[in-house]
């Protein structure tokens, strides 16, 4: 390359010495004559652009080596410097190098002659491919992180050591009602109700002095405040990191509103189930008592009638009164027997309000209650429901009670299992019945358990009442179906019950 044209020719020796030194560090030099648009570049510049040593150098060759989408921008930048002065600093991609495409950065300035006229643009080429790849990787990671933050259901908020919000995820926008642009830069206490709001800055200041973690790394349930002023329960987990010696705190937030409503409904349903269980147990005991008491009542009536016959030959003056009293006692014994028989018949019928119901809807609604907490237990749910076996004639509340009981039993049975899968299947079977199958991968049944499984007050749980399955089978039988249990291939339990199919016409 010919020496660069400079303002003071006497400095050419020093300039050449400097050029040789920077060339040794992989920095290419170049010079563009603005009058003739002739371009001269050094051997290092040629190497950066993938130009062979014998190939004639020219401005057109320089432009031809640029990525087509970058050419217009580079030409515009050079023209702007030539017309308005200033420095040139532009990055572009070069094609045709050994490694495919490469990022080059060009920096240059104007060179004037002794009269002050602008003659040349002279500068250097730098290989910035590695830096650009790092930038691209960072952009990709940032884009990936942003995509994650936009899709994860839990809100994520990052604050600095003074409690000022630095990052506000999409889920946080939905949860708190604050747009990201408005939330960033504000104190995180805007998301808290009193008294936490007034105390928060003091919490952070105390932590920075004492380093007592308090809630760092420990999840807990707190109250959050939306932009409209409403509050809600949330689960908050906080992590800490250091950057440039300054602490940053990341909060992961889960809205517990629906969870707590579900838990409240589940507690309500469980309370109702206990109440129904007691009533059912009382009904079964009443039925047993009716059976047992009918015999002594019948015997009393017979003895009364026999005693009256024995008194028929007596000459006692009070015989008429005695016979009348014994007749009334016999009548009352018969009346008591009739009352008890009616009570037994009522309990045995188990009358309910049956309507045409969608089985898939019953299973979905029961699952929302009975399967609360399944995700936290890593239970895989698989509902394989046949739409052609969907309509049944059933009492909605009672069948949901059966399903909730089976679902909760399955979750408890799988609590210690490595594989946790709950499967619900419906199938049309003979005699216009629809069968429902609920299978789990829990511990299954012991051989001695099966005969007693549906007996009242029999339970394998430490705190169980032993009435849930008994009541469930009574409900199914009152619907005209049947219920049974068996072990499955995975070692878990499978419960099946049938219900009458409804006319779909």
């Amino acid at each position: 390359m010919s020496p660069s044209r400079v303002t003071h020719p006497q400095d050419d020796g020093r300039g050449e010495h400097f050029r040789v030194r920077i060339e040794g560090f992989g920095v290419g030099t170049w010079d563009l004559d603005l009058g003739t648009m002739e371009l001269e570049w050094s051997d290092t510049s040629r190497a950066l652009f993938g130009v062979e040593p014998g190939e004639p150098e020219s401005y057109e060759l320089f432009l031809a080596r640029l990525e087509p989408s970058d050419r217009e921008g580079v030409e515009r930048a050079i023209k702007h410097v030539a017309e308005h002065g200033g420095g040139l600093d532009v990055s572009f991609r070069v094609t045709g190098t050994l490694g495919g495409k490469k990022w080059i950065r060009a920096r240059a300035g104007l060179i004037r002659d002794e009269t002050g006229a602008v003659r040349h643009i002279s500068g250097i080429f730098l290989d910035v491919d590695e830096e650009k790849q790092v930038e691209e990787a960072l952009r990709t990671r940032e884009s990936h992180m942003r995509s994650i933050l936009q899709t994860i259901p839990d809100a994520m908020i990052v604050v600095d050591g003074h409690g000022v919000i630095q990052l506000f995820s999409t889920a946080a926008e939905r949860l708190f009602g604050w747009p990201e642009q408005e939330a960033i830069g504000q104190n995180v206490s805007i998301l808290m109700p009193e008294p936490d709001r007034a105390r928060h800055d003091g919490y952070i200041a105390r932590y920075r002095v004492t380093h007592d973690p308090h809630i760092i790394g420990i999840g807990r349930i707190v109250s959050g405040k939306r932009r409209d002023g409403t509050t809600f329960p949330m689960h908050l987990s906080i992590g800490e990191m250091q950057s440039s010696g300054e602490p940053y705190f990341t909060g992961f937030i889960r809205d517990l509103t629906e969870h707590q409503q579900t838990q409240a409904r589940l507690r309500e349903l469980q309370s109702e189930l206990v109440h129904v269980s007691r009533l059912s147990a009382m009904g079964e005991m009443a039925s047993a008592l009716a059976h047992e008491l009918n015999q002594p009542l019948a015997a009393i009536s017979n003895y009364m009638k026999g005693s009256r016959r024995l008194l028929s030959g007596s000459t006692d003056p009070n015989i008429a009164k005695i016979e009348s009293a014994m007749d009334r006692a016999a009548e009352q014994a018969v009346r008591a027997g009739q009352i008890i028989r009616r009570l037994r018949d009522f309990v045995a019928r188990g009358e309910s309000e049956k309507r045409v119901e969608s089985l898939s809807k019953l299973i979905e609604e029961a699952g929302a209650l009975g399967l609360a907490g399944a995700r936290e237990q890593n239970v895989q749910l698989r509902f394989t429901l046949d739409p052609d076996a969907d309509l049944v004639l059933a009492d909605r509340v009672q069948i949901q009670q059966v399903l909730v009981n089976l679902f909760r039993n399955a979750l408890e049975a799988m609590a210690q299992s490595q594989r946790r899968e709950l499967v619900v299947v419906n199938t049309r079977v003979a005699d216009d019945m629809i069968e429902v199958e609920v299978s789990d991968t829990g511990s299954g049944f012991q051989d001695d358990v099966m005969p007693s499984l549906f007996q009242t007050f029999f339970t394998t749980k430490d705190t169980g009442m032993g009435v849930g399955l008994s009541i469930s089978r009574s409900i199914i039988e009152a619907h005209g179906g049947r219920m049974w249990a068996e072990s499955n291939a995975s070692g878990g339990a499978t419960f099946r019950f049938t219900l009458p199919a409804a006319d779909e016409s």
Side-chain angles (χ1 to χ4, degrees), residues 176-313:
F176 290 96
W178 285 91
E180 179 184 17
Q181 296 82 355
E182 295 184 33
I184 290 178
Q186 295 203 60
N187 193 289
V188 73
S189 61
I190 64 170
L191 310 178
M192 304 173 187
E194 297 293 351
D196 290 339
R197 181 170 187 167
R199 299 172 179 173
H200 183 260
D201 289 345
Y203 293 156
I204 291 184
R206 183 168 61 252
Y207 172 73
R208 296 191 67 173
V209 173
T210 64
H211 296 287
D212 180 6
H214 195 46
I215 64 168
I216 303 298
I218 304 172
R220 68 171 185 172
I221 297 176
V222 296
S223 294
K225 180 180 179 181
R226 298 186 180 92
R227 188 177 187 180
D228 61 7
T230 59
T231 59
F232 63 97
M234 65 185 195
H235 183 271
L236 173 64
S237 299
I238 299 178
E240 181 189 9
M241 63 163 288
Q242 296 283 331
S243 179
S244 301
E246 287 294 318
Y248 288 85
F249 304 97
T250 303
F252 294 92
I253 300 165
R254 178 176 301 172
D255 186 358
L256 296 181
T257 303
E258 183 176 351
H259 175 76
Q260 291 197 353
Q261 289 175 347
T262 300
Q263 290 297 316
R265 177 62 185 133
L266 180 59
R267 287 192 295 269
E268 180 182 347
L269 184 65
Q270 288 173 335
S271 177
E272 292 175 0
L273 178 59
V274 170
H275 179 65
V276 172
S277 298
R278 290 172 179 165
L279 291 178
S280 179
M282 290 174 63
E284 292 188 15
M285 286 187 289
S287 180
L289 287 172
H291 176 73
E292 297 297 329
L293 291 176
N294 264 331
Q295 292 182 357
L297 287 172
I300 292 172
S301 178
N302 291 331
Y303 281 127
M304 288 292 184
K305 291 178 181 178
S307 297
R308 190 181 186 284
R309 284 194 297 270
L310 292 174
L311 290 173
S312 60

Side-chain angles (χ1 to χ4, degrees), residues 13 66 146 173 182 188 195 294 305 308 388 403 412 434:
L66 303 185
R146 178 65 61 177
E173 291 183 296
E182 295 184 33
V188 73
N294 264 331
K305 291 178 181 178
R308 190 181 186 284
D388 295 330
L403 290 167
E412 292 179 16
I434 293 177

Side-chain angles (χ1 to χ4, degrees), residues 476-487:
I476 296 302
E477 290 176 350
H479 279 73
R482 66 188 187 96
M483 185 176 191
W484 68 101
E486 59 194 29
S487 297

Side-chain angles (χ1 to χ4, degrees), residues 418-483:
Q418 291 186 346
R419 177 189 171 198
R420 300 174 186 176
E421 185 177 49
L422 178 64
V423 179
V424 181
V425 180
N426 67 320
T427 310
R428 184 177 290 273
V429 294
D431 301 326
D432 294 324
M433 300 294 285
I434 293 177
E435 180 182 298
V436 179
E437 172 191 330
V438 179
S439 298
D440 63 56
T441 56
S443 54
F445 304 116
Q446 300 294 330
D447 294 338
D448 58 343
V449 168
M450 296 293 290
S452 308
L453 195 60
F454 292 94
Q455 290 183 6
T456 307
F457 305 125
F458 175 82
T459 180
T460 59
K461 305 176 187 177
D462 294 336
T463 58
M465 295 188 301
V467 293
L469 289 177
S470 175
I471 293 171
S472 295
R473 187 168 67 172
S474 297
I475 289 173
I476 296 302
E477 290 176 350
H479 279 73
R482 66 188 187 96
M483 185 176 191

Side-chain angles (χ1 to χ4, degrees), residues 348-416:
R349 271 201 305 270
E351 293 180 344
S352 59
E353 186 178 3
K354 299 182 180 67
R355 298 178 180 177
V356 176
E357 299 284 353
S358 167
L359 190 57
S360 59
K361 186 176 180 180
L362 293 179
I363 293 172
E364 178 185 355
E365 292 177 353
L369 294 170
L371 296 175
R375 184 177 66 175
E376 288 75 9
Q377 297 180 33
N378 295 320
V379 175
Q380 300 296 318
L381 307 177
R382 184 154 53 89
F383 291 178
T384 306
L385 303 179
D386 182 2
D388 295 330
D390 187 53
L391 297 182
V392 294
L393 187 63
D395 182 290
R396 181 178 63 85
V397 175
Q398 290 187 0
I399 298 304
Q400 285 182 344
Q401 178 182 337
V402 172
L403 290 167
V404 167
N405 185 52
L406 294 179
F407 290 164
R408 298 306 298 178
N409 286 347
L411 291 185
E412 292 179 16
M414 293 187 291
Q416 305 301 323

